[in-house]
Amino acid sequence: MQPTSPKLSHLIVVAGGSGERLGGVDKAWCEVGGRRLIDHALDVPATGRRIVVRPAGRDPIASTSSCSVEQVAEQPVGGGPAAGMAAGVMALMGGSGDGAGSAGSRQLSSAEDGPGEDELVAVLACDAMAPVAPVMSLLADALRRHADAGVAVAAPGGSPQWLTAVWRFGALRSAVRQFGDPRHAPVRLLVGLGRPREVPTARIASLDGPLDLLEAVASGDSAVGLAGDEPQRSRVVAALTSDTGWRATDAVDPAGDRATVLARPTAEARAAADRWVLLAPAHTAVPPWAAAKLVALSSADGPGEQLSG
């Protein structure tokens, strides 16, 4: 199922999460199945601006296509996805991108420039592990069919994915204005101000927590290896095993370096892995033996920064 033509005017991607549930990783730069996660969002066709919201100082995001990408950050950082959405709206309106706090709200209220009221804006998290363009096309169609709705939200199995949505820009701007201070506020409350319409869609797997990664890489009773330098590897191993029941065993990766092998709770502990995940810097090429790559946040990012988890 492929979208027939670009139906969206603009794209906002919230990509500043701390990846705390995965041991502190930059999910935008993580690769699963040979692609950066951010690229699934940036592949969504849009005729206008493409804005990525993430903290200043992190590795900048550039599209793998010819489309240009603007990067903005809410101030202060770490306000959560609602604050990231507000920063994206400010950027679309030519503001500073400061979507957090009363000052950001006052700037937004006084701004008059920006997209037209009925222009469609896709709002996405950066952690999808599969293409999202077909789902966004369905949401755009649903929004056009229902004039009373301000936002169409993907709701596979009746469970809304608040950061997989298409908004009328007028409704998005109005919701952010009404919401006030968006820092650390649930996104569902912000979306609730947009006269949402939940649209049944196929579920798109996302890298939300440890099991999402392990299930995406493993199959059956296969063991998963984690390669990469300490101490970051220990933090990620702790996150992957703390709530999943998977067990960790010291091992050696295919390059001959110290590593860790993870086995399911129902499987025997193993010293060899069937599939490997590499923990490495953003611009490191993934070796042929690794099925995925995680990108650890540096200590400069700080534990408190979290936009999308």
Side-chain angles (χ1 to χ4, degrees), residues 187-227:
V187 174
R188 61 179 175 79
L189 298 182
L190 174 57
V191 176
L193 296 174
R195 308 185 310 280
R197 184 169 191 88
E198 297 177 13
V199 180
T201 65
R203 176 166 292 280
I204 299 172
S206 61
L207 187 57
D208 186 54
L211 276 178
D212 298 314
L213 174 68
L214 293 171
E215 295 294 343
V217 176
S219 61
D221 280 336
S222 62
V224 176
L226 180 66

Side-chain angles (χ1 to χ4, degrees), residues 153-176:
V153 180
S159 179
Q161 296 179 301
W162 306 112
L163 284 174
T164 306
V166 173
W167 290 75
R168 299 186 201 279
F169 180 72
L172 178 57
R173 180 182 57 198
S174 176
V176 171

Side-chain angles (χ1 to χ4, degrees), residues 63-75:
S63 174
T64 54
S65 70
S66 59
C67 299
S68 62
V69 175
E70 303 171 49
Q71 185 165 309
V72 301
E74 93 281 16
Q75 297 294 331

